[in-house]
Amino acid sequence: MAPGHIGEFEQVVLLAILQAGDEAYAPNIRAVIHESAGRSVSRGALYRTFDRMAAKGLLEWEAEGSNPVPERGGAPMRRFTVTAAGRRALRVSREALLTLWDGIEPELEDVR
Amino acid sequence: MTVSPPRVAERLLSLCLGPAPAARFIVGDLRQEYAALRGGRGRAIAHLWYWRQALNVGSRYVGRAPDNLGGGVGDPTSGGRGPSFWRDLVSELVGALRVFRTAPGFATAVVFTLALGLGANATMFGAVDRVLLSPPEHVQDHESLRFLHLSGLGQRSFNSPMAYSFPDYESIRGLPVLADAAAYQSRRRVTMGSGVDARRVIVQSATAEFFPLLGVVPAHGRFFDTVDDRPGAPPVAVLADGFWEREFGRDPAVIGEAVAMGAHTYEVIGIAPAGFTGANLGTVDIWVPLRMNINLTSSWDVLASRGAWWFRVIVRLAEGVSEQEAEARMTAAHRAGIAAFIETGGEVGDDSRGGTVNAGAFMMALGPTADNDTAITLWLAGVSLLVLLIACANVANLMLARGIDRQRERAVRLAFGVSRRRLVFHALAEALVLAFVGGIAAFAVATWSGRALYGLLLRGIPLPETIVDVRSAVFLACVVLMTTVVAGVLPSIQALRTDPGDVLRESRRGATRGGGRARGLLTLGQVSLSTVLLVGAGLFVQSLQNAVEVDLGFDHEAVINVELEHRGGLEAARRDELTREAHQLLAAMPGVEGAILSSSTRPLYGWDEQHDLRASRIGEVPRVPEGGPYTYAGTEGYVETAGLRVVKGRAFEPADYASGAPFALMVSRSLAEGVWPGLDPLKECIFLRHGATELEGPEPCRPVIGVYEDLMVRSLADNTSWSVTWPIPNETAGLRGILVRSDGDALDLVQSIRARVAALSPDIRYVHVTPMVARIEAMRGPWRVGATLFSAFGILALVVASLGLYSVLSVAVARRSREIGIRAALGARRGNLVGMVVTRVARLVGVGLVIGLGAAVMLGRFMESVLFGVPAVNASVFAVVAVVLVAAGLLAAWIPARRATAIDPARAMTAE
């Protein structure tokens, strides 16, 4: 894959993080993916994807320990944010897609 | 309150996550979600969910380097938990679960084999342990208990422990070499309640010493003591736990209540602990004091009789007394007792003098001489051992195949610098996971098959609370672990010794080393053992077939015996009246074709032997060694109702049954041929009694008017049945049995006959209704058991062995794909390629068959005595087994063969 390009699932994850905004914690991100994209992702796969994307610099997280949730047994929460590189990658993907979509829309009218 | 997820799962997850920077967050996330789910859906569902997630997430992280380098606030303190050995092992274990996804066929085959092979064995070992190796429940310190046997007494059998008269017991009871001694009777069925509600319960009489001797204490109330256990004492009873539950719903208030059994009413004084069955294994419902009860139910003084050998005696040796010393003292006391009895004018047969008392070990007495269940158990154990061997061979085979398959993968990993320990761990973890899952499946199978076993084959023994006991579970766990781990880890250890480069080069050429010979031998073993089991199955199925088809000589399917059990103290005239009323009722009942009265309680059972028959020309009719001649007598319609088949002369006509009619009788074919060989039996006659009495005048010689086919009623293998049948008038006094012929299925009538007859009068306590088919079916029992047993295990073995064949062939084809590809490229026809696979099957099956059949011939000698009309060396059975095995072999070869022909030469050659 060319640099700057990201896979479809990675796009979905980045968009979900952006959608979740200040509430971009792992369970919420999974819920957004499920509700908006209609995809059920296993937690294991999602966590591994976070790791991989963090390694690629597409996203990052920070630990939120100041406001502990009792159900978590003292474990901090981590809030995800999309890095500048991640935003760039999204932009590139979107433009590539839009270019590809150009002029196609009317052709798909009758299969809606 | 904070709720915590399952600790083991969380620990496992943490181990898998290891030093990953995300670890703490993931654990926290899952905790949070767990808490929410638990609030909404409950603990069980939340637990289950958590386990799934822990395994899912854990398996994604396990064994992988933490590759998150960027971004986050990686917390360096979160990693490096625990010693790395355990972490490696646990993480490998979770990772090994992936085998179910990556190699589902292999994993399923292993689990399936373990489940069937070991599940069946767990049950069998449980049964063997229970029937042969363990004392009955609640019996304390069984090492010092002994069953007494008397020998040297002619008629009294060596083996039967039931050879004691009560005075025999009394004469040894107080000896100082014994800590205690108890006498008891074998179990009897007794009617409880009366009329329509009456049911049969199993009662055992025992002396007051019985319970203390065995060391058992009551669960409720008390056991009977010497005050209860004396002639004339008020009747009391102790209930078994199972009976208490069944009849009284475990109501403690039953103590002090009265239960009606037989002619008397007993006060319940105690409940035995759950699982207690006395000194033997068979079910008992109620215990009653022997000295009290025997006088209650007998019309003569059994306790004083030296001829009533009705009792079993069990003793506990005093501390420090050897068995020999006790035997010597008991023998002396026994002989002294008999001598004293003779001195006081008593008479004993010659065979009662000079008896020797033998003390048989408590467990031995439960052993092979004890009963049918023991023999069945031994057979089960033998057969299931074969299945265990087959299963182990198959698991080893599958594991080896997988290990060899992954040789190349291992070599690659080694070459990439994965540690050798890690490699062994990997194989070990997979073996452990498979053993664990297989073990659980085996446990499920064991529980299920245990119910079937006790329900079908060991019906006399109550179902134990735990079918798989700890001992057999541990034993089997060891077997499972040994098999899977050794076979699973060996290839990877072997790999450690080889240079990965060699392996890679070799596999490139399509050759792989090792394992082939071992696996071939394992498969051969499986085929041979399966052959033995299938031959056993064939022989028993044919025996059963013969037993079902054996001609009993009369049309028995519709015959039903009916016998009335009356209230105690009923006059003979009233009994006769009730029997006649029942007869009339039955004769007019819908579904009944005919009913007659008989002089015997169980006509056609071969119970009524008569040894003083005299026949014309030869005088006294000799005794038949197997039993007989038997005599049958019935009222009008007897021949038709019993279904006798007339082969010569004629059946009785109504006139023959009339009072004062001219005498007539019929004889069985073998009696006619045996007594008057070559003569016309219709010209002969038989005296029914020696001499004559003054009142009845001289006994006439009764002419034979007809000959009927021999009746096989005592045993299916008994083919000489001498019998004589004569007609009796309806008015005859003292007729006891009723014989009914149904016009449909006899079994359908049983309930309605019992209900209608029981409703006749409160004087009828119980109505015994026994269809002849039930009796015959019981005689077929041994062969049915054998056929069921061997068929079930034979099929199991066949399935497992086919799996083995399949795996061997699959691997062979996969490994030779390059060779096959080259051959195909060189123009080998598809047929030749299939032929290559088939040759391999043929070799394995052929050699396995020869070995197995050889073994079957050798084992056949031991089986001959338990078969019915089938020679143990049996060409037709052998042929069928051979066909079945070859068919199974071809089936197992089918997929590998197709795979071989589907190999694309170009791909096969460039694949590496």
Tab-separated table of all heavy atoms in Angstrom, chain A residues 26-27 30 42-45 47-48 51 54-55 59-63 69-73 75-78, chain B residues 2 22 24-26 28-33 35 49 53 56-57 60-61 64 67-73:
chain	number	residue	atom	x	y	z
A	26	ALA	N	-12.190	3.023	24.211
A	26	ALA	CA	-12.301	1.813	23.373
A	26	ALA	C	-13.730	1.263	23.281
A	26	ALA	O	-14.216	1.014	22.174
A	26	ALA	CB	-11.334	0.752	23.869
A	27	PRO	N	-14.441	1.093	24.404
A	27	PRO	CA	-15.790	0.525	24.282
A	27	PRO	C	-16.707	1.417	23.449
A	27	PRO	O	-17.519	0.923	22.662
A	27	PRO	CB	-16.269	0.434	25.734
A	27	PRO	CG	-15.020	0.410	26.559
A	27	PRO	CD	-14.040	1.269	25.826
A	30	ARG	N	-15.956	1.112	19.739
A	30	ARG	CA	-16.520	-0.130	19.214
A	30	ARG	C	-18.018	0.042	18.981
A	30	ARG	O	-18.579	-0.411	17.977
A	30	ARG	CB	-16.255	-1.263	20.212
A	30	ARG	CG	-16.552	-2.615	19.650
A	30	ARG	CD	-16.049	-3.735	20.551
A	30	ARG	NE	-16.653	-4.967	20.118
A	30	ARG	CZ	-17.861	-5.365	20.480
A	30	ARG	NH1	-18.566	-4.633	21.305
A	30	ARG	NH2	-18.359	-6.494	20.014
A	42	SER	N	-14.615	-7.857	16.837
A	42	SER	CA	-14.239	-8.496	18.102
A	42	SER	C	-13.277	-7.570	18.845
A	42	SER	O	-12.519	-6.812	18.224
A	42	SER	CB	-13.592	-9.848	17.846
A	42	SER	OG	-12.213	-9.685	17.621
A	43	ARG	N	-13.343	-7.608	20.166
A	43	ARG	CA	-12.511	-6.709	20.959
A	43	ARG	C	-11.037	-6.962	20.694
A	43	ARG	O	-10.237	-6.040	20.593
A	43	ARG	CB	-12.845	-6.880	22.438
A	43	ARG	CG	-14.173	-6.252	22.773
A	43	ARG	CD	-14.624	-6.628	24.159
A	43	ARG	NE	-15.923	-6.037	24.427
A	43	ARG	CZ	-17.063	-6.483	23.935
A	43	ARG	NH1	-17.066	-7.539	23.145
A	43	ARG	NH2	-18.202	-5.886	24.201
A	44	GLY	N	-10.698	-8.260	20.583
A	44	GLY	CA	-9.301	-8.598	20.341
A	44	GLY	C	-8.790	-7.926	19.073
A	44	GLY	O	-7.711	-7.321	19.056
A	45	ALA	N	-9.596	-8.027	17.997
A	45	ALA	CA	-9.177	-7.452	16.719
A	45	ALA	C	-9.036	-5.936	16.842
A	45	ALA	O	-8.080	-5.338	16.324
A	45	ALA	CB	-10.199	-7.812	15.646
A	47	TYR	N	-8.423	-4.091	19.555
A	47	TYR	CA	-7.270	-3.684	20.348
A	47	TYR	C	-5.987	-3.833	19.538
A	47	TYR	O	-5.088	-3.001	19.602
A	47	TYR	CB	-7.191	-4.500	21.649
A	47	TYR	CG	-8.215	-4.069	22.678
A	47	TYR	CD1	-9.098	-4.978	23.235
A	47	TYR	CD2	-8.274	-2.743	23.096
A	47	TYR	CE1	-10.040	-4.591	24.180
A	47	TYR	CE2	-9.220	-2.343	24.036
A	47	TYR	CZ	-10.097	-3.263	24.573
A	47	TYR	OH	-11.011	-2.859	25.496
A	48	ARG	N	-5.904	-4.933	18.799
A	48	ARG	CA	-4.696	-5.121	17.992
A	48	ARG	C	-4.594	-4.019	16.929
A	48	ARG	O	-3.506	-3.542	16.607
A	48	ARG	CB	-4.702	-6.489	17.298
A	48	ARG	CG	-4.353	-7.661	18.171
A	48	ARG	CD	-3.103	-7.500	18.958
A	48	ARG	NE	-1.861	-7.627	18.205
A	48	ARG	CZ	-0.654	-7.642	18.749
A	48	ARG	NH1	-0.531	-7.546	20.067
A	48	ARG	NH2	0.420	-7.751	18.020
A	51	ASP	N	-3.208	-0.918	18.422
A	51	ASP	CA	-1.762	-1.026	18.605
A	51	ASP	C	-1.034	-0.754	17.294
A	51	ASP	O	-0.059	-0.007	17.234
A	51	ASP	CB	-1.390	-2.434	19.095
A	51	ASP	CG	-1.919	-2.695	20.499
A	51	ASP	OD1	-2.338	-1.731	21.157
A	51	ASP	OD2	-1.916	-3.874	20.916
A	54	ALA	N	-1.330	2.797	16.228
A	54	ALA	CA	-0.499	3.674	17.056
A	54	ALA	C	0.955	3.560	16.620
A	54	ALA	O	1.689	4.555	16.535
A	54	ALA	CB	-0.652	3.300	18.525
A	55	ALA	N	1.359	2.313	16.286
A	55	ALA	CA	2.725	2.094	15.839
A	55	ALA	C	2.988	2.834	14.534
A	55	ALA	O	4.092	3.310	14.286
A	55	ALA	CB	2.985	0.597	15.662
A	59	LEU	N	-2.788	7.172	15.236
A	59	LEU	CA	-3.565	7.623	16.388
A	59	LEU	C	-2.674	7.599	17.622
A	59	LEU	O	-1.580	7.007	17.607
A	59	LEU	CB	-4.820	6.754	16.591
A	59	LEU	CG	-4.668	5.246	16.698
A	59	LEU	CD1	-4.137	4.815	18.035
A	59	LEU	CD2	-6.014	4.594	16.426
A	60	GLU	N	-3.158	8.195	18.677
A	60	GLU	CA	-2.434	8.100	19.945
A	60	GLU	C	-3.447	8.128	21.076
A	60	GLU	O	-4.632	8.348	20.843
A	60	GLU	CB	-1.435	9.249	20.075
A	60	GLU	CG	-2.070	10.615	20.016
A	60	GLU	CD	-0.997	11.712	20.018
A	60	GLU	OE1	0.190	11.371	19.930
A	60	GLU	OE2	-1.381	12.887	20.104
A	61	TRP	N	-2.963	7.842	22.249
A	61	TRP	CA	-3.891	7.855	23.373
A	61	TRP	C	-3.256	8.496	24.565
A	61	TRP	O	-2.023	8.603	24.649
A	61	TRP	CB	-4.388	6.455	23.683
A	61	TRP	CG	-3.379	5.555	24.332
A	61	TRP	CD1	-2.865	5.693	25.574
A	61	TRP	CD2	-2.775	4.398	23.775
A	61	TRP	NE1	-1.986	4.693	25.835
A	61	TRP	CE2	-1.912	3.873	24.739
A	61	TRP	CE3	-2.890	3.750	22.537
A	61	TRP	CZ2	-1.164	2.733	24.524
A	61	TRP	CZ3	-2.151	2.607	22.330
A	61	TRP	CH2	-1.297	2.109	23.302
A	62	GLU	N	-4.081	8.917	25.497
A	62	GLU	CA	-3.542	9.354	26.780
A	62	GLU	C	-4.344	8.718	27.897
A	62	GLU	O	-5.555	8.482	27.747
A	62	GLU	CB	-3.556	10.871	26.885
A	62	GLU	CG	-4.890	11.504	26.623
A	62	GLU	CD	-4.785	13.019	26.672
A	62	GLU	OE1	-4.086	13.499	27.578
A	62	GLU	OE2	-5.378	13.696	25.814
A	63	ALA	N	-3.654	8.435	28.971
A	63	ALA	CA	-4.309	7.791	30.109
A	63	ALA	C	-5.058	8.831	30.927
A	63	ALA	O	-4.550	9.921	31.145
A	63	ALA	CB	-3.282	7.089	30.974
A	69	VAL	N	-13.014	5.353	37.508
A	69	VAL	CA	-14.329	4.699	37.488
A	69	VAL	C	-14.229	3.454	38.365
A	69	VAL	O	-13.339	2.634	38.149
A	69	VAL	CB	-14.700	4.291	36.044
A	69	VAL	CG1	-16.066	3.652	36.012
A	69	VAL	CG2	-14.638	5.498	35.124
A	70	PRO	N	-15.085	3.310	39.370
A	70	PRO	CA	-14.916	2.184	40.309
A	70	PRO	C	-15.002	0.809	39.631
A	70	PRO	O	-14.267	-0.091	40.007
A	70	PRO	CB	-16.059	2.371	41.311
A	70	PRO	CG	-16.957	3.412	40.747
A	70	PRO	CD	-16.182	4.220	39.756
A	71	GLU	N	-15.868	0.703	38.602
A	71	GLU	CA	-16.021	-0.616	37.955
A	71	GLU	C	-14.731	-1.089	37.293
A	71	GLU	O	-14.574	-2.249	36.996
A	71	GLU	CB	-17.121	-0.572	36.878
A	71	GLU	CG	-18.523	-0.459	37.420
A	71	GLU	CD	-18.922	0.990	37.619
A	71	GLU	OE1	-18.040	1.871	37.494
A	71	GLU	OE2	-20.101	1.233	37.916
A	72	ARG	N	-13.821	-0.167	37.040
A	72	ARG	CA	-12.603	-0.553	36.332
A	72	ARG	C	-11.542	-1.075	37.277
A	72	ARG	O	-10.433	-1.410	36.857
A	72	ARG	CB	-12.049	0.631	35.541
A	72	ARG	CG	-12.975	1.107	34.444
A	72	ARG	CD	-12.406	2.293	33.720
A	72	ARG	NE	-11.179	1.970	33.015
A	72	ARG	CZ	-11.135	1.519	31.768
A	72	ARG	NH1	-12.261	1.335	31.104
A	72	ARG	NH2	-10.000	1.252	31.193
A	73	GLY	N	-11.864	-1.109	38.538
A	73	GLY	CA	-10.912	-1.660	39.494
A	73	GLY	C	-9.625	-0.862	39.546
A	73	GLY	O	-8.549	-1.415	39.711
A	75	ALA	N	-8.118	0.726	37.177
A	75	ALA	CA	-7.372	0.860	35.920
A	75	ALA	C	-7.751	2.175	35.250
A	75	ALA	O	-8.924	2.527	35.215
A	75	ALA	CB	-7.700	-0.310	34.999
A	76	PRO	N	-6.765	2.880	34.718
A	76	PRO	CA	-7.086	4.144	34.053
A	76	PRO	C	-7.807	3.904	32.730
A	76	PRO	O	-7.760	2.812	32.184
A	76	PRO	CB	-5.702	4.769	33.815
A	76	PRO	CG	-4.776	3.608	33.756
A	76	PRO	CD	-5.338	2.561	34.668
A	77	MET	N	-8.481	4.934	32.247
A	77	MET	CA	-9.094	4.842	30.921
A	77	MET	C	-8.128	5.476	29.938
A	77	MET	O	-7.319	6.309	30.304
A	77	MET	CB	-10.418	5.599	30.905
A	77	MET	CG	-11.445	5.022	31.843
A	77	MET	SD	-12.942	6.005	31.866
A	77	MET	CE	-13.808	5.368	30.462
A	78	ARG	N	-8.244	5.062	28.668
A	78	ARG	CA	-7.415	5.777	27.694
A	78	ARG	C	-8.327	6.361	26.632
A	78	ARG	O	-9.235	5.688	26.135
A	78	ARG	CB	-6.336	4.881	27.096
A	78	ARG	CG	-6.841	3.638	26.445
A	78	ARG	CD	-5.700	2.898	25.762
A	78	ARG	NE	-6.210	1.604	25.285
A	78	ARG	CZ	-5.545	0.812	24.478
A	78	ARG	NH1	-4.344	1.146	24.066
A	78	ARG	NH2	-6.063	-0.318	24.078
B	2	THR	N	-18.326	-3.039	44.159
B	2	THR	CA	-17.762	-3.337	42.838
B	2	THR	C	-17.829	-4.835	42.600
B	2	THR	O	-17.640	-5.638	43.512
B	2	THR	CB	-16.291	-2.889	42.756
B	2	THR	OG1	-15.612	-3.431	43.875
B	2	THR	CG2	-16.172	-1.402	42.739
B	22	ALA	N	-0.788	-1.490	26.386
B	22	ALA	CA	-2.230	-1.304	26.472
B	22	ALA	C	-2.859	-2.170	27.551
B	22	ALA	O	-4.050	-2.044	27.835
B	22	ALA	CB	-2.870	-1.615	25.117
B	24	ARG	N	-3.083	-2.578	30.839
B	24	ARG	CA	-3.905	-2.093	31.946
B	24	ARG	C	-5.228	-1.528	31.464
B	24	ARG	O	-6.269	-1.700	32.085
B	24	ARG	CB	-3.144	-0.997	32.708
B	24	ARG	CG	-2.021	-1.539	33.561
B	24	ARG	CD	-1.482	-0.455	34.440
B	24	ARG	NE	-1.185	0.744	33.646
B	24	ARG	CZ	-1.097	1.977	34.166
B	24	ARG	NH1	-1.334	2.152	35.446
B	24	ARG	NH2	-0.800	3.010	33.407
B	25	PHE	N	-5.155	-0.859	30.335
B	25	PHE	CA	-6.376	-0.238	29.813
B	25	PHE	C	-7.378	-1.293	29.360
B	25	PHE	O	-8.574	-1.183	29.586
B	25	PHE	CB	-6.041	0.676	28.640
B	25	PHE	CG	-5.025	1.723	28.988
B	25	PHE	CD1	-3.732	1.643	28.504
B	25	PHE	CD2	-5.373	2.763	29.825
B	25	PHE	CE1	-2.799	2.607	28.830
B	25	PHE	CE2	-4.438	3.743	30.162
B	25	PHE	CZ	-3.143	3.662	29.666
B	26	ILE	N	-6.840	-2.311	28.691
B	26	ILE	CA	-7.730	-3.358	28.179
B	26	ILE	C	-8.416	-4.067	29.349
B	26	ILE	O	-9.631	-4.285	29.345
B	26	ILE	CB	-6.935	-4.359	27.306
B	26	ILE	CG1	-6.442	-3.652	26.049
B	26	ILE	CG2	-7.794	-5.546	26.947
B	26	ILE	CD1	-5.562	-4.490	25.153
B	28	GLY	N	-8.998	-2.897	32.208
B	28	GLY	CA	-9.982	-1.967	32.765
B	28	GLY	C	-11.231	-1.892	31.908
B	28	GLY	O	-12.355	-1.950	32.421
B	29	ASP	N	-11.035	-1.812	30.579
B	29	ASP	CA	-12.195	-1.750	29.673
B	29	ASP	C	-13.104	-2.954	29.888
B	29	ASP	O	-14.327	-2.826	30.000
B	29	ASP	CB	-11.719	-1.774	28.212
B	29	ASP	CG	-11.126	-0.431	27.790
B	29	ASP	OD1	-11.278	0.541	28.565
B	29	ASP	OD2	-10.522	-0.368	26.703
B	30	LEU	N	-12.472	-4.117	29.903
B	30	LEU	CA	-13.278	-5.336	30.014
B	30	LEU	C	-13.987	-5.392	31.362
B	30	LEU	O	-15.125	-5.846	31.459
B	30	LEU	CB	-12.413	-6.579	29.797
B	30	LEU	CG	-11.957	-6.801	28.347
B	30	LEU	CD1	-11.201	-8.113	28.225
B	30	LEU	CD2	-13.139	-6.811	27.391
B	31	ARG	N	-13.292	-4.920	32.403
B	31	ARG	CA	-13.937	-4.875	33.725
B	31	ARG	C	-15.182	-4.013	33.692
B	31	ARG	O	-16.234	-4.376	34.213
B	31	ARG	CB	-12.967	-4.278	34.743
B	31	ARG	CG	-12.171	-5.344	35.450
B	31	ARG	CD	-11.438	-4.750	36.620
B	31	ARG	NE	-10.913	-5.841	37.418
B	31	ARG	CZ	-11.029	-5.928	38.735
B	31	ARG	NH1	-11.644	-4.985	39.404
B	31	ARG	NH2	-10.547	-6.956	39.376
B	32	GLN	N	-15.023	-2.876	33.057
B	32	GLN	CA	-16.133	-1.919	33.009
B	32	GLN	C	-17.320	-2.525	32.254
B	32	GLN	O	-18.464	-2.470	32.702
B	32	GLN	CB	-15.659	-0.644	32.308
B	32	GLN	CG	-16.619	0.503	32.466
B	32	GLN	CD	-16.085	1.765	31.775
B	32	GLN	OE1	-14.944	1.783	31.290
B	32	GLN	NE2	-16.892	2.793	31.738
B	33	GLU	N	-17.008	-3.128	31.110
B	33	GLU	CA	-18.097	-3.721	30.327
B	33	GLU	C	-18.728	-4.898	31.071
B	33	GLU	O	-19.925	-5.110	31.017
B	33	GLU	CB	-17.563	-4.167	28.964
B	33	GLU	CG	-17.243	-2.999	28.053
B	33	GLU	CD	-17.037	-3.446	26.620
B	33	GLU	OE1	-18.022	-3.799	25.960
B	33	GLU	OE2	-15.870	-3.472	26.183
B	35	ALA	N	-18.988	-5.196	34.283
B	35	ALA	CA	-19.852	-4.686	35.353
B	35	ALA	C	-21.215	-4.291	34.791
B	35	ALA	O	-22.261	-4.591	35.366
B	35	ALA	CB	-19.183	-3.508	36.045
B	49	TRP	N	-19.478	-14.338	29.180
B	49	TRP	CA	-19.050	-13.277	28.257
B	49	TRP	C	-17.585	-12.937	28.524
B	49	TRP	O	-16.780	-12.825	27.609
B	49	TRP	CB	-19.953	-12.060	28.454
B	49	TRP	CG	-19.523	-10.878	27.647
B	49	TRP	CD1	-19.905	-10.593	26.359
B	49	TRP	CD2	-18.625	-9.835	28.046
B	49	TRP	NE1	-19.304	-9.440	25.941
B	49	TRP	CE2	-18.502	-8.943	26.942
B	49	TRP	CE3	-17.920	-9.559	29.206
B	49	TRP	CZ2	-17.710	-7.805	26.985
B	49	TRP	CZ3	-17.128	-8.426	29.253
B	49	TRP	CH2	-17.015	-7.557	28.150
B	53	GLN	N	-14.347	-13.087	26.040
B	53	GLN	CA	-13.548	-11.920	25.675
B	53	GLN	C	-12.104	-12.130	26.081
B	53	GLN	O	-11.190	-11.768	25.327
B	53	GLN	CB	-14.115	-10.657	26.348
B	53	GLN	CG	-15.548	-10.350	25.972
B	53	GLN	CD	-15.774	-10.364	24.470
B	53	GLN	OE1	-14.884	-10.012	23.699
B	53	GLN	NE2	-16.939	-10.806	24.056
B	56	ASN	N	-10.583	-14.327	23.610
B	56	ASN	CA	-10.485	-13.666	22.309
B	56	ASN	C	-9.340	-12.651	22.303
B	56	ASN	O	-8.463	-12.679	21.440
B	56	ASN	CB	-11.828	-12.985	22.008
B	56	ASN	CG	-11.765	-12.124	20.763
B	56	ASN	OD1	-11.304	-10.991	20.808
B	56	ASN	ND2	-12.186	-12.692	19.648
B	57	VAL	N	-9.361	-11.778	23.279
B	57	VAL	CA	-8.335	-10.732	23.324
B	57	VAL	C	-6.970	-11.362	23.625
B	57	VAL	O	-5.968	-11.062	22.964
B	57	VAL	CB	-8.689	-9.664	24.375
B	57	VAL	CG1	-7.571	-8.634	24.470
B	57	VAL	CG2	-10.002	-8.988	24.023
B	60	ARG	N	-5.116	-12.945	20.856
B	60	ARG	CA	-4.560	-12.015	19.860
B	60	ARG	C	-3.215	-11.448	20.309
B	60	ARG	O	-2.428	-10.989	19.506
B	60	ARG	CB	-5.508	-10.852	19.646
B	60	ARG	CG	-6.845	-11.318	19.172
B	60	ARG	CD	-7.110	-10.790	17.812
B	60	ARG	NE	-8.349	-11.339	17.308
B	60	ARG	CZ	-8.637	-11.348	16.019
B	60	ARG	NH1	-7.787	-10.865	15.156
B	60	ARG	NH2	-9.778	-11.854	15.621
B	61	TYR	N	-3.029	-11.459	21.611
B	61	TYR	CA	-1.804	-10.846	22.117
B	61	TYR	C	-0.728	-11.873	22.433
B	61	TYR	O	0.442	-11.546	22.487
B	61	TYR	CB	-2.106	-10.029	23.393
B	61	TYR	CG	-2.592	-8.647	23.068
B	61	TYR	CD1	-3.926	-8.410	22.796
B	61	TYR	CD2	-1.693	-7.584	22.986
B	61	TYR	CE1	-4.375	-7.152	22.470
B	61	TYR	CE2	-2.132	-6.315	22.656
B	61	TYR	CZ	-3.473	-6.095	22.400
B	61	TYR	OH	-3.901	-4.850	22.072
B	64	ARG	N	3.136	-12.522	21.086
B	64	ARG	CA	3.564	-11.507	20.128
B	64	ARG	C	4.359	-10.418	20.836
B	64	ARG	O	4.035	-10.058	21.967
B	64	ARG	CB	2.354	-10.867	19.472
B	64	ARG	CG	1.516	-11.893	18.770
B	64	ARG	CD	0.631	-11.266	17.766
B	64	ARG	NE	-0.221	-12.312	17.212
B	64	ARG	CZ	-1.132	-12.093	16.308
B	64	ARG	NH1	-1.327	-10.868	15.868
B	64	ARG	NH2	-1.864	-13.078	15.850
B	67	ASP	N	4.189	-4.517	19.886
B	67	ASP	CA	4.649	-3.756	18.732
B	67	ASP	C	4.158	-2.303	18.774
B	67	ASP	O	4.222	-1.592	17.807
B	67	ASP	CB	4.233	-4.438	17.431
B	67	ASP	CG	2.754	-4.698	17.394
B	67	ASP	OD1	2.041	-4.278	18.361
B	67	ASP	OD2	2.289	-5.296	16.434
B	68	ASN	N	3.593	-1.939	19.912
B	68	ASN	CA	3.165	-0.566	20.018
B	68	ASN	C	4.331	0.304	20.487
B	68	ASN	O	4.706	0.289	21.633
B	68	ASN	CB	2.002	-0.454	21.000
B	68	ASN	CG	1.562	0.979	21.137
B	68	ASN	OD1	2.032	1.837	20.396
B	68	ASN	ND2	0.687	1.215	22.083
B	69	LEU	N	4.886	0.973	19.572
B	69	LEU	CA	6.037	1.777	19.933
B	69	LEU	C	5.687	3.249	19.996
B	69	LEU	O	6.222	3.997	20.781
B	69	LEU	CB	7.151	1.569	18.908
B	69	LEU	CG	7.509	0.106	18.708
B	69	LEU	CD1	8.410	-0.060	17.497
B	69	LEU	CD2	8.156	-0.449	19.958
B	70	GLY	N	4.754	3.622	19.166
B	70	GLY	CA	4.490	5.047	19.064
B	70	GLY	C	3.332	5.481	19.928
B	70	GLY	O	2.773	4.710	20.687
B	71	GLY	N	3.007	6.704	19.763
B	71	GLY	CA	1.771	7.212	20.327
B	71	GLY	C	1.792	7.315	21.823
B	71	GLY	O	2.304	8.246	22.404
B	72	GLY	N	1.302	6.337	22.404
B	72	GLY	CA	0.797	6.450	23.762
B	72	GLY	C	1.809	6.658	24.858
B	72	GLY	O	3.018	6.764	24.674
B	73	VAL	N	1.219	6.691	25.954
B	73	VAL	CA	1.971	6.872	27.167
B	73	VAL	C	2.257	5.472	27.679
B	73	VAL	O	1.598	4.998	28.578
B	73	VAL	CB	1.142	7.683	28.167
B	73	VAL	CG1	2.004	8.127	29.323
B	73	VAL	CG2	0.473	8.843	27.476
